[in-house]
Each structure stands twice: as C-alpha cells, then as structure tokens.
Amino acid sequence: MAMRTTIATITKNRLSFTYCSAIAITTFVRLTLSSSVLFPPSKAFSINHDIAHNFGNNKNKQAKIMTTTTPRPNQPISPSITASINKINDIITTDAGGRGMTHLVVPGDLLASAKLLARLTAKSKSRPRDPPSRNDDDGDDGGDDDPLVIILSGFPCCVAHAPPTETDGPPGAWAIAAAASNLGHRVVLVTDRCNEDVFRASAPEHKLDDANDSKWELITFPPEEDMTEDQSQRLRALARKADLIIACERAGPASDGKCYTMRGIDMNEKGLIAPLHRIVEMARERNNGGGRDGDDDDEANVKFIAVGDGGNEMGMGKVLGKIHEHIPNGELIGAVTEADHLIAASVSNWGGYALAAAAALVRCSDELD
C-alpha cells in the first residue's frame, strides 16, 4: 500500500526509524505473547525489552534471545510459538486497503519463512565467503563464515516525483535486515539507483556509516541498459554468494518483462528499474545445476522469500492465477517471479515487521527448548 512522502520528510525523521521499527516488532511480539502460557509476565517483558533495545544504536550489545542458539533446522516449533506466529499473520492480512490481498495469502508461509531466516546457516564453507561489496576485490573483510542474506527492495512507483520511491518497503526491508544481523547473519540490501537516497535516509542510524561494521551494506544498480560489465559481475556475485534471498516490496516483472505500478504505469519505460530479479534467477540456475557445490540436497539450495501486498511485487508469481482473478489490472501487472515462501500483507512494511518478529519467536522457541 503506497504512502507518498519526500526525501526531506524521510531525512527529517531518520532518527525515528529505528524506534518505530522496534515498536512495531515489539508490539507484534507483545500482542502474541501477552495471553500465552509460554512465559510469565516478567519473562515476556524481558523478551520484548531485549528485542526493542536491540534495534537501538548500541551495536555492541545483542539480545540473548536472538543470538545464543545454534540453528536447529529440524527442531519442532513449540505450539505456543506457532500460535503466536499465526496471530501475527492474522494481524497483517486484514486487507486494510480493500484491494483483495486476502486472496494472495499462502497459509503457513510466514512460519516457514521465519524458520528459514532464524535457522539459516552458510550453505558451504568451502567456497569464498567474502561479502560481495564495494570491497569485493579486497578479499576477506570479516565475519565470512556467517550466512549472507540478500534483501531486495524498492518500488519507484511515484514516477512524477524525485525521488520516485514509495515509503512502503524501506522500513520493512531495514527491519528484516536488523533482525537478520541480530541473528548473526551478514546483510546486503539491494535497490535501484533512483531509490538510494531514500534507503540511506531510512537506514538504522550509523549502520551504513561504520566502516568497521561489515555485516551491513547497501548496494544500488542502474537500469539494465545503463549497467556496465563490472556492475553485471557484481550482480552475479550477489547471486553466487547468497545463502538466502528476501524481497520486501520489490517491483517484479510481469509476463511481458516490464514492472508496473498498480495503475499499470510501466516503470521500466521511465528508466527506474534495475534488473534485480536476475539475482533470484541466477541463484536458481545454480540450484538447478545440482544444488550448491555439487550437493543434491534441497537444504543446500538458496531459497527465496518474498513480501508483497498488491500482486505486482517479486515473488507473487506463486499466486499468479489468483492475481489475475482477484486484483484489478492483474493480468497486466501480475509479477511472475515465484517465491519459495510468500508473505502477503495489507502493507508490505507490516509483512517485513512480521517476518522479523516471527524469526525472533522461532529463535526464542529454539532457545527455550
């Protein structure tokens, strides 16, 4: 659901982003845990306080509930935690905008996505693990055994404005990034060149300014026709080194290869769209070639999680038939890239907050087991 704003407004409110994301995520957790028998009130408060504190600016402290457990891929989730995540899903799927998004909801995909994020491990430690960044030629810059999460975001649908970026997407994407980092993962957020100012202004304060914090990075790309060979190689490097790809309110190509607004405006024609969908395509080509590093096990393959609210976002190909049937202009705008797990929400930012909160709850379940 697009909310229009300007870069000046975002910059003015930069300091409030971290606080608002913390409140949103903490509210989800508090709502779902407050009536649960899983924790006494004092324990529930402690967990909420830790999560909220962790979205502040003290990078040297991490909430124990998020970081101390070794991922357990096959560990059952407790019934209380499962119920809490289901409550979160109910909150975000009310179709607040009245656009028919309830038809796009895939039962169980929020829980499946949260398990992937919370329990992610590096797919292979035998291949080079240096982050695909602006320092890519400099070798290892630390933390290279940690899983790499690629987050794709940016929807430049405000085509008559500069910048053209809608505000649904950046807060949710950064919330996912913060959760992934606090879970012990490295994070690279990728967007279009035209969106860079908005994403930098809305990033958790100082995270992109600290040269010593190699776990966070923002990378931008121009439209495909303007890409250099070096930029194409960087795009391939992202696909090659990703352990998990997540899209949050990311414009996705329709059946004709173009990215459309809900009103059917072609954003490619406006020169606004970078070919970020190719990251998913190239990662899947590697998957289809026999898994990662020759491993046929599905666990070795890179998964793609997507968050969207209208049908024209990357990942919505999983429910393309329902988009054609229930969403206005669906046959034109419906995005064809299919997610492994799709989080449909009334507002994509809500879906981003929900994924962050649900992943924290999965780690919480593992921690208390």
Side-chain angles (χ1 to χ4, degrees), residues 48-268:
N48 289 320
H49 173 77
D50 283 346
I51 293 173
H53 175 76
N54 206 32
F55 277 80
N57 294 323
N58 188 343
K59 65 184 178 184
N60 295 318
K61 294 184 179 180
Q62 292 187 327
K64 284 186 176 181
I65 203 70
M66 297 283 280
T67 60
T68 59
T69 301
T70 300
R72 306 174 183 179
N74 300 315
Q75 180 72 22
I77 304 295
S78 75
S80 295
I81 290 292
T82 300
S84 294
I85 292 174
N86 288 338
K87 286 183 181 180
I88 292 174
N89 195 65
D90 290 342
I91 292 170
I92 67 172
T93 56
T94 56
D95 196 11
R99 298 191 299 177
M101 61 73 50
T102 53
H103 298 286
L104 313 183
V105 176
V106 181
D109 269 16
L110 175 59
L111 175 59
S113 299
K115 289 165 67 175
L116 272 176
L117 180 58
R119 296 171 170 179
L120 184 66
T121 58
K123 301 304 181 186
S124 172
K125 294 185 179 180
S126 63
R127 59 190 170 89
R129 296 297 305 158
D130 50 295
S133 67
R134 58 182 174 272
N135 300 317
D136 200 38
D137 295 332
D138 297 336
D140 188 355
D141 54 356
D144 59 351
D145 284 338
D146 297 330
L148 176 61
V149 178
I150 305 296
I151 301 175
L152 312 177
S153 190
F155 211 110
C157 61
C158 307
V159 297
H161 299 270
T165 316
E166 71 167 335
T167 55
D168 188 23
W174 284 126
I176 295 169
S181 178
N182 293 333
L183 287 162
H185 313 327
R186 295 173 299 141
V187 178
V188 176
L189 196 151
V190 190
T191 190
D192 313 281
R193 183 173 58 191
C194 65
N195 299 323
E196 180 173 6
D197 288 346
V198 175
F199 276 87
R200 288 198 178 277
S202 59
E205 192 178 21
H206 304 313
K207 280 296 186 182
L208 298 177
D209 301 328
D210 187 351
N212 295 317
D213 190 349
S214 62
K215 285 196 171 186
W216 291 68
E217 184 165 1
L218 174 67
I219 295 177
T220 66
F221 289 94
E224 187 162 15
E225 58 270 21
D226 295 333
M227 286 182 64
T228 65
E229 180 57 31
D230 285 347
Q231 289 168 328
S232 296
Q233 289 180 2
R234 176 179 282 188
L235 201 70
R236 289 191 289 270
L238 288 166
R240 184 175 71 251
K241 299 180 181 182
D243 292 301
L244 177 65
I245 302 171
I246 303 174
C248 181
E249 186 66 14
R250 172 60 202 162
S255 57
D256 61 2
K258 300 175 182 179
C259 295
Y260 292 98
T261 70
M262 291 298 290
R263 297 179 180 179
I265 298 172
D266 180 357
M267 292 177 285
N268 293 78

